[in-house]
Amino acid sequence: MTAHDLSTSGQLPEAQLPITVREGLDFGLDGDIPRHWFGGDPFKTRFFDAMSTLFPEGERFFIACVRDYKDQIGDPAHKQILLDFARQEAQHSKVHNAFNHRLSRQGVKVDKILANQRRNLFDIARKTLTKGHTLAITAASEHITALMSHTFVENRHHFEDADPRVRAMYVWHAVEEVEHKGVAFDVMQQVAHVGYWLRVWALLMVSIQFPMFVFQILNHMLKVDGFNRWQRWGIWLKGLWWLYKPGGLMGPLLRPYLAWYKPGFHPWDAGAPGEFQTWMQVMQQSGDPIAASDALQPRA
Ligand SMILES: [Fe+2]
Ligand SMILES: [Fe+2]
């Protein structure tokens, strides 16, 4: 059966990893996590903190944009995939919301960031763009999260200095982003029949807007931390070098990022990182996401 046949029957290809909904995990986020939990480095910490503030509303938007098509999928097994995708994203929102409360208490204007995002995603995008377009934005965003998940897990030496609790939250999120990385894409291709150029346009827009929001929020957080203009300049220079230097955090993202622009691209072309097997084994044995994430660290 070809991909086109699949689309006419409203069915989706099988995912290569099962989507497992994990609820009620304890990351110990109520504990005494240092303000700059990533090796004492304000830029590294606030880079990930800024992403955390974008997740809850972003994931609510992804769920809504995929759900727009649920009635066009007849097969109960594939309806279940959509449901599990939504349940995973809802858990991510919940845990990041809890994490973001910490940031609010530090003085970060989390409520304002969330309100701004709600306006952009729900009052503007969902009301002015077609459902196919918002689904393409969702699939493109999921491409970014999946490739970050792959690359960060494969290059985990970067995270040696991170607080094990926060790192565990991100590793869990990364595993589940990979588990469901094909869902929005398959609905976009097989059910919504979004064309190639809209798919390309969506990723180009996401590639500009996502880092722009992250950097704006990061800068706000550095101000909240009390760094003056000159100190922030130094932090930014050092931080951008950490991100973009040869062998830096962003380098390995480029090739998987560009894969999206190949006409025949599919998220599962890249498979899943082998490290996930270790994570899943330890999770199964211990039920402890911190132990599972620590098992991936080089010195484990
Ligand atoms: Fe997520
Ligand atoms: Fe996702």
Side-chain angles (χ1 to χ4, degrees):
M1 192 182 265
T2 66
H4 184 71
D5 292 332
L6 287 170
S7 71
T8 51
S9 64
Q11 292 185 348
L12 306 171
E14 293 300 330
Q16 294 188 9
L17 270 185
I19 299 176
T20 305
V21 181
R22 302 168 183 90
E23 291 172 332
L25 297 184
D26 184 5
F27 297 95
L29 297 177
D30 298 335
D32 55 344
I33 295 170
R35 186 180 189 98
H36 295 141
W37 54 264
F38 201 146
D41 185 309
F43 187 94
K44 293 180 184 179
T45 300
R46 295 317 197 176
F47 178 72
F48 281 90
D49 285 352
M51 285 200 285
S52 181
T53 64
L54 291 174
F55 287 140
E57 289 300 331
E59 289 171 322
R60 210 161 63 81
F61 174 83
F62 302 160
I63 293 169
C65 297
V66 169
R67 260 195 198 143
D68 283 339
Y69 290 90
K70 77 173 191 313
D71 293 339
Q72 293 179 47
I73 295 168
D75 183 336
H78 291 121
K79 266 194 190 313
Q80 187 62 42
I81 289 175
L82 259 56
L83 199 67
D84 290 342
F85 160 80
R87 286 177 66 201
Q88 279 193 334
E89 293 292 34
Q91 282 302 308
H92 303 166
S93 291
K94 195 174 156 199
V95 171
H96 281 280
N97 266 325
F99 183 77
N100 296 344
H101 285 146
R102 270 184 71 252
L103 303 176
S104 290
R105 288 196 295 274
Q106 293 170 355
V108 173
K109 297 203 179 319
V110 173
D111 289 344
K112 204 172 151 196
I113 295 166
L114 295 187
N116 190 33
Q117 255 216 315
R118 263 195 300 278
R119 195 183 67 240
N120 289 337
L121 297 175
F122 290 93
D123 298 340
I124 301 175
R126 293 265 306 157
K127 287 192 179 147
T128 59
L129 303 175
T130 64
K131 287 185 167 45
H133 195 156
T134 55
L135 181 62
I137 292 171
T138 300
S141 306
E142 288 281 280
H143 176 60
I144 302 270
T145 52
L147 70 92
M148 287 196 310
S149 301
H150 267 256
T151 314
F152 293 171
V153 168
E154 285 160 357
N155 295 275
R156 54 203 186 280
H157 58 279
H158 286 300
F159 301 95
E160 266 187 301
D161 294 338
D163 184 280
R165 295 160 288 189
V166 187
R167 184 173 60 207
M169 174 181 76
Y170 274 102
V171 171
W172 157 74
H173 196 160
V175 169
E176 297 196 351
E177 285 305 318
V178 172
E179 285 179 345
H180 72 230
K181 67 178 176 173
V183 175
F185 187 90
D186 287 335
V187 176
M188 173 181 78
Q189 298 286 100
Q190 311 285 330
V191 185
H193 306 290
V194 166
Y196 174 75
W197 291 110
L198 181 53
R199 191 182 105 193
V200 165
W201 176 247
L203 186 62
L204 287 173
M205 288 295 102
V206 171
S207 312
I208 295 168
Q209 286 175 349
F210 182 59
M212 193 181 80
F213 287 134
V214 169
F215 287 154
Q216 271 174 359
I217 298 165
L218 198 165
N219 200 45
H220 158 63
M221 289 173 169
L222 294 177
K223 284 184 192 167
V224 169
D225 286 341
F227 295 111
N228 68 31
R229 183 185 294 263
W230 295 112
Q231 287 169 320
R232 288 203 307 277
W233 264 101
I235 291 169
W236 271 100
L237 285 175
K238 199 170 142 227
L240 290 172
W241 178 245
W242 169 70
L243 284 176
Y244 296 110
K245 71 182 176 188
L249 195 69
M250 288 294 153
L253 295 176
L254 185 63
R255 190 188 282 259
Y257 166 80
L258 291 173
W260 175 271
Y261 298 106
K262 281 192 290 192
F265 165 81
H266 189 277
W268 281 108
D269 293 346
E275 289 82 356
F276 283 7
Q277 293 308 323
T278 309
W279 185 89
M280 283 171 196
Q281 270 169 13
V282 179
M283 263 309 274
Q284 229 164 18
Q285 287 158 5
S286 67
D288 178 2
I290 302 172
S293 142
D294 285 351
L296 297 187
Q297 284 312 116
R299 59 175 167 233

